[in-house]
Amino acid sequence: MCQCPELAEILLGDDEIISSSPQHPLRGFDEVDWNPSQWACLNQCPECGQLWHIDIAKGNQIGICVKVVDQAAWQKLDTTYARVDLMVQKHGGLTFETCKWRQCNKNCVKGLAFCPEHAYFEMDIKA
Ligand SMILES: [Zn+2]
Ligand SMILES: [Zn+2]
């Protein structure tokens, strides 16, 4: 049996991680499509038909896999905020400190002087 129904909507991983881990739940899926501009492919579970966006491994960027409902949804998928969330999780969450960015009063990412958006987009902290 596949594990798709129990898996979260977003998982860490990319095509290289999947092909190098024999136990990976997304291993052995059929490639349905790929999108060079997004640096990603669309794979389908042969058992339940669930579609998954899978990042193609790229430099120091965190790879992610995301459940998608159909091909049209995949074309429109924006993984930016999922990546911001993962960066925050990796740093251990948020603190009650206030972001140092001018006129920003959001909470900081743990260990950083900036909120998630300013850390990710302005300070280029992607991981
Ligand atoms: Zn499945
Ligand atoms: Zn901020």
Side-chain angles (χ1 to χ4, degrees), residues 2-5 29 45-50 52:
C2 74
Q3 294 174 50
C4 300
F29 284 13
C45 174
E47 289 190 46
C48 72
Q50 175 69 52
W52 287 89

Side-chain angles (χ1 to χ4, degrees), residues 55-86:
D55 276 353
I56 292 166
K58 181 185 174 190
N60 59 354
Q61 182 160 285
I62 314 175
I64 58 170
C65 307
V66 186
K67 281 182 186 175
V68 289
V69 289
D70 56 29
Q71 227 150 337
W74 184 57
Q75 302 294 346
K76 285 182 289 186
L77 181 70
D78 183 353
T79 57
T80 309
Y81 279 89
R83 292 174 199 285
V84 174
D85 279 351
L86 287 170

